[in-house]
Amino acid sequence: MIDLFNLLIILIGSSMLYVSFTYRLEEYIKTLSIQGFLFFLIILLDFDKIEILNFIFLIIETLIFKTIIIPVFLSKILRKNHINREIEPYIPNYYSVIIATLVLAFGFFISYWSNDEFQNIRPLFFGISISIIINSFIIIITRKKIITHVIGYMFLENGIFLLSLSIAAEMPIIVNLGMLLDIFVGIFLLGIFVNKISSTFEELNIDKLTTLKD
Amino acid sequence: MIIAILFIFPILSSAFLFFFKNKQLNVVLTAIYSLIYLSIVMFLVFKPQQFTEFLKVDSLNVIFLLILAILQFGISIYNIDFLTHSQVSIRDHTLYSIFYQFFVMAMTGIILSTHFGLLWVFIEATTLITLYLINFNKTKESLEASWKYIFICSIGISLAFVGIIFLSIGNFNINSLFFEDIYKNYKNINPFWLKLSFLFILIGFGTKMGLAPVHSWLPDAHSEAPSPISAMLSGALLNGSFLGILRIFKVMRLCNLDVFAKILLLIMGFLSLLVAASFIVKITNYKRMLAYSSIENMGIIAIGIGLGGVGLYASFLHLISHSLTKASFFLTAGNVLHTFHTKETNKITGILKTDRYTGFLWIFSFFAIIGLPPFPIFISEFLILKEMIFTKNIILFIIFVILLTIIIFGLGKSVLKMVFGEKNEHIEKYKNSFWVYLPQTLFLIILVIIGLYIPNFLHKMIENAVNSL
């Protein structure tokens, strides 16, 4: 049982590596969907530890939102705005892969270290989630397109979701509600904004957003 | 029971407004809400009470509630006339009123909540609600401003959420995020996780509050939003996030980690002053100038908390005075924008000769913000300087005074140039309606009263807040 858990977590962590070397936007969206499904499996395995209402809530969040709705919505935006499928990073992908690998290794190091130090968290969950959070920040910083920023934000949300699962005690449902609200922001509002920006500015790069400055 | 009115009224009235779509009705219902709100808050100030487990008036948040009540009352008065002359469609007018009421409601939620999760949800909600209001003009610039606002603030809020998760790892034995439970059982909190949590919550809510390294959304959003909304953002929203920081600061203080917290607050405060000083001198857009001044004042408030002692009292006094002053300043900026149709400082001269009363309001708001006596910002800044000398922080004292002087110079250069001088040839002499002068006058009168003689109940309120911290 424990081994299956660890396998799923490591898969989620290494999916960030895949993101760092692919050049295609669709692959980013696919990865988001796969991560959502892996989260769903983790929740299923965790069934005995979670109370029923919260369990239903988490299932809806992972399976319906993270696995289906968000990726579909993002691909719709992609098609509607005729976004060029290339990622256009600021740094070559070769370096991105190296950085992402180092961050993942750092995550493993943290879990190794927190294994000895703390009793009330699950070490592997904790370490990997930190690595996902750092990696998604790197994605946001080093990519040019606005849509990649939105996807990077969704990866950040996934990292935080994993972090909240890392607590051995149960989070109150109000916190989960907050998570859902955050996803709402991420996907619908940012998505609508991408549409609006694409109709106002010619190209969807952050280089264009420089009318307001001092 | 009473609390229900504050939350249910805007929901019902929004449904009503959305159904009828009538400009007069929008204005009247918003004004009624603000009046009810003000009277309920006045009642609560003198008779604090608990409503539910999740929402409560205590000695800390009552100040914030009072500021919000006075502010939104004044701004609703301003709203009576604000949209009538411009060519706003009936749909936009209605949505503006609805979102304005929701904004006030969400702010009330932030202030009254007794639970870290709920506080966080309400702060997130204000981000969503104000988004529409910032993008109200639907220009290219406002679109860019609102994109930056929602993206930067969402990331900030996510970091605050990470901080809350760390807090719940740290207080594993308590397993509750109610402030009361955490304050009672502070001995069981692991200091390592608490420090980490404070760091993340400070960065996260600090983003929304506009503290320096993470302030970059603030000038854009404040300059592109309609003026009453800028006033609300500056006077109420920034305070709300500050309350979130104070809640976790109290935990740090109970656990004897306040040196760590204070150093962080001082660093962020002085960085804010530095950023404001370096941009305010060469700025060409007067609304952006006011936004940088907000960053500066939030910095001063953070410095006051960081110093401790009398600094705490000074911070709360500064909080009250800054909210009213900046609201008055932004509303007057709205009048100026309405008369001159430009945000460029260089294109405006002779406000006094064009619109006499706006000119006076503009210059008195300026006096209030730079802390000329009898305005209360003088007292709060003086107390902060006194505390710096008292704790023998002479270097901080010198840096503080120099930065403040630069900021006053920068503000004065633009403001005085705009007020005096000959009036522009192509601008007609203009008289706005009575409603757009009343709130600023009201705010400035309150400020002078506080500056000359702090009423006993206000003094007690601030002291209670300081003691509860």
Side-chain angles (χ1 to χ4, degrees), chain A residues 113-114 118 120-121 126 130 133 137 140 146-147 149-150 153 156-157 160-161 163-164 166-172 174-179 181-182 184-186 189-190 193-194 196-198 200-202 206 208-214, chain B residues 54 115 117-118 120-122 124-125 128 131 135 138-148 150-151 154-155 157-159 161-162 164-166 168-173 175 177 190 192-193 196 219-221 223-224 279 282-283 288 292:
Chain A
W113 166 75
S114 55
F118 305 108
N120 46 13
I121 53 171
F126 185 70
I130 297 286
I133 291 173
F137 269 115
I140 292 174
I146 286 176
I147 184 91
H149 286 204
V150 178
Y153 179 73
L156 179 68
E157 287 300 306
I160 294 174
F161 182 74
L163 185 66
S164 73
S166 78
I167 310 173
E170 201 182 312
M171 291 291 271
I174 197 159
V175 174
N176 278 316
L177 207 66
M179 280 311 276
L181 192 66
D182 230 26
F184 178 78
V185 181
L189 277 169
L190 294 182
F193 260 79
V194 170
K196 271 192 184 169
I197 289 175
S198 78
T200 315
F201 296 86
E202 299 89 56
I206 45 161
K208 300 281 167 186
L209 295 180
T210 49
T211 18
L212 298 172
K213 62 182 174 193
D214 295 302
Chain B
F54 288 102
H115 183 279
L118 195 66
W120 183 87
V121 168
F122 274 119
E124 174 84 45
L128 301 183
L131 187 65
N135 193 23
K138 299 190 178 59
T139 57
K140 202 172 169 179
E141 288 82 22
S142 72
L143 188 62
E144 184 183 328
S146 27
W147 167 261
K148 284 179 185 167
I150 185 158
F151 198 74
S154 301
I155 287 185
I157 295 283
S158 309
L159 290 182
F161 189 78
V162 173
I164 291 173
I165 292 176
F166 284 155
S168 58
I169 295 177
N171 72 3
F172 179 68
N173 303 319
N175 198 15
L177 285 173
N190 180 327
F192 170 78
W193 291 110
L196 214 55
D220 296 348
S223 67
E224 292 309 318
F279 281 102
K282 60 181 179 93
I283 216 144
R288 287 183 81 83
Y292 277 109

Side-chain angles (χ1 to χ4, degrees), chain B residues 188-205:
Chain B
N188 295 331
I189 301 177
N190 180 327
F192 170 78
W193 291 110
L194 183 60
K195 274 190 200 168
L196 214 55
S197 152
F198 179 78
L199 191 66
F200 274 86
I201 291 182
L202 181 66
I203 297 281
F205 289 164

Side-chain angles (χ1 to χ4, degrees), chain B residues 284-329:
Chain B
T284 57
N285 175 331
Y286 56 89
K287 279 188 87 177
R288 287 183 81 83
M289 176 185 81
L290 296 184
Y292 277 109
S293 160
S294 290
I295 295 176
E296 171 227 337
N297 284 294
M298 286 299 133
I300 292 177
I301 291 168
I303 289 172
I305 298 291
L307 284 172
V310 188
L312 295 174
Y313 186 94
S315 271
F316 283 109
L317 190 61
H318 199 90
L319 189 81
I320 299 170
S321 354
H322 166 251
S323 292
L324 296 180
T325 313
K326 192 49 67 61
S328 145
F329 222 154

Side-chain angles (χ1 to χ4, degrees), chain B residues 172-243:
Chain B
F172 179 68
N173 303 319
I174 310 165
N175 198 15
S176 151
L177 285 173
F178 283 102
F179 304 142
E180 287 298 320
D181 295 343
I182 294 176
Y183 297 158
K184 258 182 226 151
N185 303 303
Y186 66 90
K187 279 179 189 138
N188 295 331
I189 301 177
N190 180 327
F192 170 78
W193 291 110
L194 183 60
K195 274 190 200 168
L196 214 55
S197 152
F198 179 78
L199 191 66
F200 274 86
I201 291 182
L202 181 66
I203 297 281
F205 289 164
T207 310
K208 207 77 196 279
M209 183 183 163
L211 287 176
V214 282
H215 66 281
S216 54
W217 65 272
L218 198 145
D220 296 348
H222 280 59
S223 67
E224 292 309 318
S227 300
I229 301 306
S230 313
M232 272 304 264
L233 288 177
S234 205
L237 182 72
L238 306 186
N239 295 354
S241 319
F242 176 60
L243 181 63

